[in-house]
């Protein structure tokens, strides 16, 4: 668990079927919470090629962001 032997919840599915990652109160089908990088990553290969992220850019005022890797051939 990497937290000094203390277990902590990382994912919750509530009685409505909503899934929360890093939140105990998911209000949507999928809620992801992070104070640093609230995003979903997609990849078509190993390494840094063909990677996409979709989510909130915390470092840019919480703006919605779609970004691709810079290593695509």
């Amino acid at each position: 668990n990497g937290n000094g032997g203390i277990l902590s919840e990382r994912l919750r599915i509530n009685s409505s079927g909503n899934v929360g990652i890093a939140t105990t109160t998911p209000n949507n089908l999928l809620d992801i919470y992070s104070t640093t990088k609230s995003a979903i990553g997609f990849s078509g290969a190993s390494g840094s090629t063909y990677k996409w992220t979709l989510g909130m850019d915390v470092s840019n005022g919480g703006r919605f962001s779609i970004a691709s890797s810079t290593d695509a051939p």
Side-chain angles (χ1 to χ4, degrees):
N1 60 29
N3 198 14
I6 299 170
L7 297 177
S8 59
E9 183 176 357
R10 302 284 187 221
L11 180 121
R12 176 174 288 206
I13 302 173
N14 69 15
S15 61
S16 298
N18 295 341
V19 177
I21 299 174
T23 179
T24 58
T25 56
N27 295 312
N28 298 292
L29 288 176
L30 175 62
D31 274 345
I32 301 171
Y33 174 78
S34 173
T35 58
T36 57
K37 186 175 184 181
S38 185
I40 300 172
F42 301 90
S43 177
S46 62
S48 58
T49 304
Y50 303 122
K51 295 212 182 278
W52 286 85
T53 56
L54 168 78
M56 184 178 69
D57 186 350
V58 177
S59 66
N60 193 13
R63 292 187 174 133
F64 182 77
S65 173
I66 300 173
S68 68
S69 68
T70 56
D71 295 342

